[in-house]
Amino acid sequence: MRRSPVLGRPFAIGAAALSCILLLGGCSSAMNEASQTSMPDFGTPVQPMQDMGGAAESSAGRAADGQLQLVAPSDRQVIATGYMNITVKTPRDAADDATRIVNQAGGHVDGRTETAPRGGDRGRADLTLRIPSDALDATIEKLAALGTLEETNVSKQDVTSVAQDLDARITALQASVDRLLALMADATSTTDLITIESALSERQANLESLQSQRRSLADQVELSTITVYFGSEADAPVHEPDTFWSGLLAGWAAFVGFLSFLLVAFGVVLPWLIVPAIALALVWWLLRRRRRARGETDAPAAAGETMADPAAAATEAPEETPPAK
């Protein structure tokens, strides 16, 4: 029996409308499903802890499905940081040796600061070293052998759970992005396309942020950060004497240091004493010359008065009384 074209047209329109409704329903459900994978902000990189007891969930990590799974010791993610204070004869040469040691271990120097030698001080050198974690202990021993190790501190932080959480979130976001890409390829209207593109842009930005944080975390785990301070013997910490001989040496060193301080102080004050001394000497010389000139002038005047009036001198002399008979 032949179907009337008038009756077939409503069926075609209804089928098209039903297809559009199903497509829009699939898009909205995919977007809602993707929005459920949103996550808290992990924009702040993981910072190393300052103590050895900062391990977090070292024996278990969270999987993508929220269940707990055991973590093998070889799969643990540990960040190691620390510093070393070493006294050497020549800090610049020691810094060059430390750079060579780290390069041979597969690491590199992240920063270097030097202070030029001055007088008896031979300067300082500070290095920020990135050392492979599997060669950290051996490298620290080689660095300590460059001089006298005054102080060292290495702290470790277990970030296994953080790494696993990032991996799970990255996996979920990647799946959401893939689904949105598939929906975008099947979109038939401009409205749906714009909505899917907006959601896809947000998911991709979050995914790239998490991937960047994961790479930063992996770099901190793979390369430990150690700061080394190379100081000269003049900057070395003073050790308290504990024997008679060490006390005698300490006293002699203090006495020599006191004499050196006096010499330095005298050298500083001497320029301020020269000018007043010259001024005082000049004033004394002028006063002495003036007194000498005044004395030479008074002496001839007194001699002239005596010679000019001998009669008066005789008159003024007392008369002698004749002796009584």
Side-chain angles (χ1 to χ4, degrees), residues 4 9 26 40 63 71 124 132 138 144 180 193 196 201 233 241 259 278 284 298:
S4 174
R9 184 175 300 174
V71 180
R124 288 185 57 86
L180 289 175
L193 186 62
I196 295 174
S201 176
E233 297 177 354
L259 291 181
I278 293 176
W284 177 78
D298 293 343

Side-chain angles (χ1 to χ4, degrees), residues 191-212:
T191 303
D192 295 340
L193 186 62
I194 293 175
T195 304
I196 295 174
E197 285 183 347
S198 177
L200 180 62
S201 176
E202 180 182 357
R203 298 298 180 272
Q204 286 179 336
N206 292 334
L207 178 61
E208 292 175 357
S209 176
L210 287 180
Q211 288 174 343
S212 176

